[in-house]
Amino acid sequence: MVDFALELERKEGGSREEAIYQACVLRFRPILMTTLAALFGAVPLMLGTGTGSEIRQPLGYTIVGGLLLSQVLTLFTTPVVYLYLDQLGGFLSRKGRAVESRAADPSRT
């Protein structure tokens, strides 16, 4: 999502909020389908019965739980973290320019 957002921001020159929104809309289906494919692959481990199933079931639960948690984190926290880090980068670059301008003009201190 972040790569797509950066690319959209560069190409279209729009706001970072619009870029990450468009990236989320564009990447939602592939992210969801990849996670669901892995999740459905782990369901037989989780629901299986028979010889040795008591050993495999915890692995199935762990895989399914981890996939669900990572899906939620990916879809909800990635855009927020992207916007906060972009805002922090802008703040730090403005602060760095202010320090450089003060260093270049000693009469301003």
Side-chain angles (χ1 to χ4, degrees):
M1 276 193 285
V2 173
D3 289 337
F4 275 79
L6 290 172
E7 192 65 29
L8 288 171
E9 212 173 331
R10 287 185 195 124
K11 283 184 179 179
E12 297 177 7
S15 68
R16 60 181 171 245
E17 290 87 5
E18 183 63 29
I20 193 66
Y21 174 77
Q22 289 298 325
C24 289
V25 169
L26 189 66
R27 297 299 301 158
F28 176 73
R29 184 171 177 228
I31 290 170
L32 185 65
M33 290 183 74
T34 303
T35 301
L36 287 176
L39 189 131
F40 288 141
V43 167
L45 279 175
M46 188 176 75
L47 300 177
T49 59
T51 307
S53 64
E54 65 275 357
I55 295 173
R56 290 187 298 275
Q57 277 183 340
L59 177 62
Y61 286 122
T62 304
I63 292 171
V64 170
L67 286 168
L68 292 174
L69 180 66
S70 69
Q71 182 75 12
V72 168
L73 290 176
T74 298
L75 294 176
F76 292 113
T77 61
T78 301
V80 173
V81 170
Y82 172 77
L83 291 173
Y84 281 143
L85 288 177
D86 196 40
Q87 188 176 16
L88 178 65
F91 173 74
L92 292 176
S93 69
R94 285 192 302 273
K95 190 171 184 169
R97 284 192 300 258
V99 169
E100 288 174 3
S101 67
R102 276 190 241 134
D105 188 10
S107 64
R108 289 182 57 182
T109 55

